[in-house]
Amino acid sequence: MMTDQEMMNCPDDASQIDRLRAIMHRLRAPGGCPWDAEQSHQSLVSNLIEEAYETVDAIQREDFDHMKEELGDLLLQVVFHSEISQEAGRYNLDDVARGICDKLVRRHPHVFGTSAAATTDAVLQQWDQIKRAEKGDGEKPYLHGVGKGLPALLRAAKLQKKAAKVGFDWPVETGVIAKIREELIELQSAVDAQDLPAVSEELGDLMFSVVNLARFRGADPEVLMATANAKFETRFGKMEQLLKSQGHTLESATPGQMESAWEAVKQAGG
């Protein structure tokens, strides 16, 4: 085990993972950090999600220096959970690493064995077959367990992608777009009929179809939504500034004034 001095000053590149593990152990040990010592798997869930999304944001912005920092924060979550599990006598960081190493070898028989998979599609199909066999899912519904725990947009894309692997997919993009139009018409009918349960159902169907178009385009719907959120936030801020320059606040501005300012910002490329 490293000493405190070694943890504070460890220039050896090859020892940094061991250093991180030692620091995490030190923080959780008696005399360490009260906050770190109090954490559990459950209390860290929001941290894990937040760090994952912050990493995605850095990737999306191509901020590679920041991405390195966010990958470190994400790695810390893996080490943190592994330390908690080690304390409970379940497994440690080495077991976690061994598990993913073994899985990668098993699921790449075209690299580490004699299987032939020369294309990406063949690799993915082989991966899925091996995964289902490992989990004993051969007798369960094909979509059983797909994407459980993922945000709804990501799970929708994952369900669609899995279904597409067995040929349940639109042959061309125009079919997806036509489906979106169909769902929009059905939504309008439900709205016109003031059928609230149907409106909710049709809204879900429309969103699912839009996710399908994103998948068809090779885009991650969660990233697209994050980008749209950021654009809206930026444009709204510029609209607020423009209104302020005109002597208005958000609270005092009329809907028409807001719309005019919004369009002005939009036309200016904001």
Side-chain angles (χ1 to χ4, degrees):
M1 184 64 66
M2 287 185 175
T3 65
D4 282 7
Q5 187 60 42
E6 289 172 326
M7 293 180 214
M8 290 186 287
N9 183 21
C10 180
D12 182 18
D13 289 343
S15 300
Q16 297 307 310
I17 294 296
D18 288 334
R19 181 189 182 197
L20 177 57
R21 188 204 323 241
I23 291 172
M24 189 73 257
H25 182 77
R26 177 73 175 87
L27 293 175
R28 294 271 300 179
C33 173
W35 183 89
D36 289 281
E38 291 173 359
Q39 301 312 305
S40 65
H41 291 306
Q42 291 73 21
S43 71
L44 291 170
V45 167
S46 61
N47 299 67
L48 179 60
I49 294 172
E50 181 180 345
E51 299 301 353
Y53 275 97
E54 288 180 356
T55 302
V56 170
D57 176 64
I59 293 171
Q60 184 69 7
R61 291 185 292 103
E62 297 188 355
D63 185 346
F64 299 117
D65 288 337
H66 193 208
M67 177 182 164
K68 181 179 71 171
E69 178 184 348
E70 295 302 342
L71 284 172
D73 291 342
L74 192 56
L75 176 59
L76 173 61
Q77 295 301 308
V78 176
V79 174
F80 211 146
H81 283 281
S82 298
E83 177 68 22
I84 293 172
S85 291
Q86 181 176 348
E87 293 166 4
R90 292 189 291 268
Y91 52 82
N92 59 24
L93 183 61
D94 291 326
D95 297 321
V96 172
R98 181 180 296 107
I100 188 59
C101 288
D102 290 346
K103 179 188 290 187
L104 288 171
V105 170
R106 286 196 313 272
R107 296 190 184 178
H108 289 82
H110 54 293
V111 176
F112 299 103
T114 58
S115 172
T119 66
T120 296
D121 287 343
V123 169
L124 293 177
Q125 183 177 14
Q126 177 181 253
W127 177 285
D128 189 57
Q129 290 171 348
I130 296 171
K131 180 178 179 179
R132 283 172 63 80
E134 288 175 355
K135 295 182 178 294
D137 287 347
E139 300 303 318
K140 295 179 181 178
Y142 180 68
L143 295 179
H144 171 76
V146 173
K148 289 294 177 66
L150 286 176
L153 283 177
L154 289 178
R155 184 162 190 250
K158 202 169 184 69
L159 286 166
Q160 294 165 0
K161 184 177 181 180
K162 184 74 177 289
K165 289 180 180 179
V166 292
F168 190 80
D169 201 5
W170 296 99
V172 291
E173 186 179 273
T174 52
V176 186
I177 296 174
K179 184 64 176 175
I180 291 174
R181 292 196 182 100
E182 176 189 322
E183 296 297 351
L184 189 57
I185 291 171
E186 292 178 358
L187 173 60
Q188 185 64 63
S189 296
V191 170
D192 292 343
Q194 297 185 4
D195 187 341
L196 296 184
V199 168
S200 296
E201 180 179 351
E202 296 302 340
L203 272 172
D205 291 346
L206 177 59
M207 293 171 70
F208 192 83
S209 296
V210 171
V211 169
N212 206 9
L213 179 58
R215 178 194 62 84
F216 217 89
R217 282 271 164 173
D220 186 322
E222 195 75 14
V223 172
L224 294 179
M225 196 72 255
T227 302
N229 288 342
K231 182 171 73 173
F232 177 82
E233 181 182 9
T234 299
R235 187 172 291 172
F236 192 93
K238 291 182 178 179
M239 178 195 73
E240 183 179 7
Q241 291 174 350
L242 180 56
L243 286 170
K244 188 177 295 185
S245 72
Q246 297 170 348
H248 305 296
T249 65
L250 290 174
E251 292 75 17
S252 68
T254 66
Q257 289 169 333
M258 284 190 177
E259 179 65 20
S260 178
W262 180 272
E263 286 300 321
V265 169
K266 183 176 178 181
Q267 291 299 321

